[in-house]
Amino acid sequence: MPDVPNAWHQYIFFAIFPPTFHIGGDDSICQKLSDKYLPIMHTNYENRSRDYEDSLPKYQTFPPNNRVNNDGSLIRCDEIAR
């Protein structure tokens, strides 16, 4: 995974909504997205519909500033380095 706060500008931003994908075949055994479609961060987290309890970095708007916790509260710069 790239160093997100410093490398986000290398990627073209695009958003994909879950209904875009039909995951699984006729037997629906495989329910995992290909790695190339997995998210690397949450942006515009201030507009989320729910809190996401995952390890991905979250940003109130767009990186590299205004990083937030899972509950949407701002993280101080000295907390990010830990």
Side-chain angles (χ1 to χ4, degrees):
M1 179 180 294
D3 181 17
V4 176
N6 297 319
W8 71 272
H9 62 277
Q10 297 176 13
Y11 302 93
I12 297 171
F13 175 80
F14 62 94
I16 300 174
F17 297 97
T20 303
F21 298 98
H22 173 74
I23 301 171
D26 293 335
D27 58 7
S28 295
I29 292 173
C30 181
Q31 297 293 318
K32 186 174 184 297
L33 287 175
S34 167
D35 287 346
K36 70 180 180 178
Y37 294 118
L38 294 176
I40 59 171
M41 73 178 91
H42 295 276
T43 59
N44 293 314
Y45 201 67
E46 65 185 352
N47 297 320
R48 69 194 180 283
S49 58
R50 67 180 187 92
D51 291 343
Y52 292 89
E53 300 288 332
D54 59 28
S55 62
L56 294 176
K58 296 159 184 69
Y59 296 91
Q60 189 176 41
T61 53
F62 287 96
N65 300 320
N66 299 321
R67 189 147 173 206
V68 296
N69 289 313
N70 289 338
D71 67 2
S73 60
L74 285 171
I75 300 174
R76 296 188 332 239
C77 292
D78 59 332
E79 292 177 327
I80 294 173
R82 290 187 219 166

